[in-house]
Each structure stands twice: as C-alpha cells, then as structure tokens.
Amino acid sequence: MCGIAGYIGKNKIDDITISNSLDLMKNRGPDSQDHKIFTDNNIFVYLLHSRLSIIDINERSNQPFSNNNKTLIFNGEIYNYIEIRNDLLNKGHDFKTNSDTEVLIKAYEEYGQECVHYFNGMWSFAIWDESNECMILSRDKFGEKPLYLYETNHGIYFGSEIKFIQSLSGQKTEINYDMLANYLSLGYKSLNKNNKTFFKNIINVEYGTNIVVGKSLDIKKNKYWNPQYDPDM
C-alpha cells in the first residue's frame, strides 16, 4: 500500500503545504516520501508519493519515477509485471530496476493508455506526460485501489485518500449530507452506487477508467473496461 496525491492547475502550492501533505501520507507508505514539481507556461504540476517498499525495495525504485519525459506515481501491484517486462525487453526496452513501477511506465511508453489492457493487478496511478502535455490518471478494473478527484476553477487535485486532497488544496470541503443519510439509513450497501463521496465535489474515479487532463484543464474520461457476462461460457 502506497500513497499518491497531486495537482495540475494554475495555482502554486507552497513548500510547507507539500511537506505537511507528505507527512500525512506516511500512514500509507513509511519507507520513502518524495515529490516532483513541473511548470509549463502557466500550468503547475505536483506529484507526491509515499512508498511502502515491497517489490525491489532498493531506493532506485522510489517514486516519483521518471523516464523519457514521463513521471509516474503509483499505488498497487502489477501481478504479471515479469511477463510484461520480458515482452518489453524483446521490443528493445532496457531496465535499471526490478520493479513493477518501471515496467508500468515503460508499458505506457510502448502502448500509451492502452497499457492498462496488458495489466493483471490492482492500481491507481498518475503519469505526467511532458511530451504530450497531459496528466493520465487510471484506476484498476475492479476499483481495488482508491483514487479521488476534486475539480476546482483553477485546477484538479487527486489522491488515494480524501484527506490528502484536503491538505494539498487547503480547502475545507463541505460534508455531503445526502450520502451520509443514505449510509445511516441503508448501510454500507448504499455506497459506491455512484461516484459521490461523503464530501461535496470530491468524487471517486470509477473503476476501469482512465482520465486525461490536458493543459487547458479539460477532463476526458475513458471507460476502458466493463464486466461482461456470457451465460454460454
């Protein structure tokens, strides 16, 4: 379990806020906390990561992880990363680590957003693609790993916990009393029927979904997977 958080938008985030947010993220990853900042004209990009080291525990696999103008923060595990790694080696990619993190970012380099179709695992990740000037957010097919989104008039915040978004944004988010009432009256089965959360304007990224945020801060959603039922199988 790792923690991810970030922002793409027109506002700068001060160093104290970043430091406090990383401290808050230690509950999801005590082994390493780091961040990277990118600027592109009037757009600022922040990527924060807190690592729980499991695969290739060497610091060379710490995140944010960059390669060829692309930078990744990732929470989860790609179970078939060794098979994908071998395929990428055959396609001419080389590797400096033994991590599924490096496999993920190089699979994105090879296949673009279609890389998720090659993954067997659970994940939420963000990639800042400098070459294409966009942020890619992705959540796994069954929504096992959490990913929340908060859209404002100046940019988009995201994180694997809502409190990370609250810390980064400095906003006192309002309670969504409708969701709270549903939970208290109907129980946990009333949750996750839509992408709403207990806080107004903070949503769940849907399972099996990629989101692309461009420099104009437009949001494009791609539902890359839905469960299929075939009674004849």
Side-chain angles (χ1 to χ4, degrees), residues 12-22 35 37 46 48:
K12 289 184 179 180
I13 301 176
D14 61 77
D15 293 341
I16 293 176
T17 297
I18 292 172
S19 179
N20 290 341
S21 299
L22 285 171
H35 73 284
I37 304 170
Y46 296 81
L48 287 70

Side-chain angles (χ1 to χ4, degrees), residues 7-11 150-157 213 217 219:
Y7 170 77
I8 175 171
K10 300 174 183 178
N11 284 4
Y150 178 42
E151 185 177 0
T152 71
N153 59 5
H154 58 76
I156 292 105
Y157 297 88
V213 184
L217 304 182
I219 296 177

Side-chain angles (χ1 to χ4, degrees), residues 193-222:
K193 300 298 183 183
N194 51 48
N195 63 348
K196 296 180 180 179
T197 70
F198 287 116
F199 295 90
K200 291 182 179 179
N201 301 320
I202 296 182
I203 64 170
N204 274 300
V205 173
E206 294 182 71
Y207 68 87
T209 297
N210 288 343
I211 290 177
V212 181
V213 184
K215 283 182 62 180
S216 61
L217 304 182
D218 57 308
I219 296 177
K220 296 179 181 178
K221 295 182 181 179
N222 171 27

Side-chain angles (χ1 to χ4, degrees), residues 10 22 77 87 140:
K10 300 174 183 178
L22 285 171
E77 184 175 348
D87 289 341
D140 64 70

Side-chain angles (χ1 to χ4, degrees), residues 45 57 67 79 87 94 103 139 163 177 200 209 223 229:
V45 175
I57 62 175
N67 194 72
Y79 304 140
D87 289 341
D94 61 333
V103 169
R139 195 174 183 201
K163 64 184 179 181
Y177 287 102
K200 291 182 179 179
T209 297
K223 187 73 173 172
Y229 172 65

Side-chain angles (χ1 to χ4, degrees), residues 9-219:
K10 300 174 183 178
N11 284 4
K12 289 184 179 180
I13 301 176
D14 61 77
D15 293 341
I16 293 176
T17 297
I18 292 172
S19 179
N20 290 341
S21 299
L22 285 171
D23 284 343
L24 199 63
M25 293 168 65
K26 286 182 180 179
N27 68 308
R28 295 190 69 89
D31 298 318
S32 172
Q33 292 81 39
D34 204 355
H35 73 284
K36 285 190 176 181
I37 304 170
F38 305 88
T39 58
D40 192 343
N41 293 324
N42 295 321
I43 295 298
F44 300 91
V45 175
Y46 296 81
L47 297 176
L48 287 70
H49 189 266
S50 186
R51 185 184 183 197
L52 176 64
S53 302
I54 297 176
I55 299 176
D56 191 358
I57 62 175
N58 193 291
E59 64 180 16
R60 67 191 176 187
S61 295
N62 287 350
Q63 301 174 46
F65 190 97
S66 296
N67 194 72
N68 291 335
N69 293 322
K70 298 168 182 65
T71 300
L72 166 70
I73 51 175
F74 164 49
N75 171 33
E77 184 175 348
I78 307 302
Y79 304 140
N80 61 333
Y81 77 98
I82 293 177
E83 291 84 352
I84 297 171
R85 188 179 194 270
N86 289 336
D87 289 341
L88 292 171
L89 283 169
N90 291 333
K91 292 179 181 295
H93 293 266
D94 61 333
F95 290 84
K96 298 178 181 178
T97 77
N98 295 318
S99 67
D100 55 347
T101 300
E102 188 176 14
V103 169
L104 195 162
I105 198 168
K106 292 194 172 180
Y108 173 78
E109 290 176 3
E110 180 67 29
Y111 304 114
Q113 289 186 59
E114 297 299 309
C115 65
V116 293
H117 295 292
Y118 293 81
F119 299 155
N120 176 13
M122 52 183 180
W123 67 82
S124 60
F125 67 74
I127 295 175
W128 171 239
D129 187 337
E130 290 184 84
S131 301
N132 293 306
E133 298 181 324
C134 63
M135 179 83 78
I136 311 296
L137 303 174
S138 181
R139 195 174 183 201
D140 64 70
K141 295 175 182 177
F142 293 99
E144 293 183 75
K145 288 301 180 182
L147 186 58
Y148 300 96
L149 197 70
Y150 178 42
E151 185 177 0
T152 71
N153 59 5
H154 58 76
I156 292 105
Y157 297 88
F158 62 88
S160 48
E161 291 189 32
I162 290 176
K163 64 184 179 181
F164 303 161
I165 293 174
Q166 293 169 328
S167 176
L168 264 187
S169 67
Q171 299 295 315
K172 186 178 180 180
T173 46
E174 294 182 58
I175 294 173
N176 185 341
Y177 287 102
D178 290 339
M179 281 291 289
L180 188 58
N182 284 343
Y183 172 69
L184 293 175
S185 60
L186 302 174
Y188 75 93
K189 290 185 179 180
S190 69
L191 302 179
N192 300 321
K193 300 298 183 183
N194 51 48
N195 63 348
K196 296 180 180 179
T197 70
F198 287 116
F199 295 90
K200 291 182 179 179
N201 301 320
I202 296 182
I203 64 170
N204 274 300
V205 173
E206 294 182 71
Y207 68 87
T209 297
N210 288 343
I211 290 177
V212 181
V213 184
K215 283 182 62 180
S216 61
L217 304 182
D218 57 308
I219 296 177

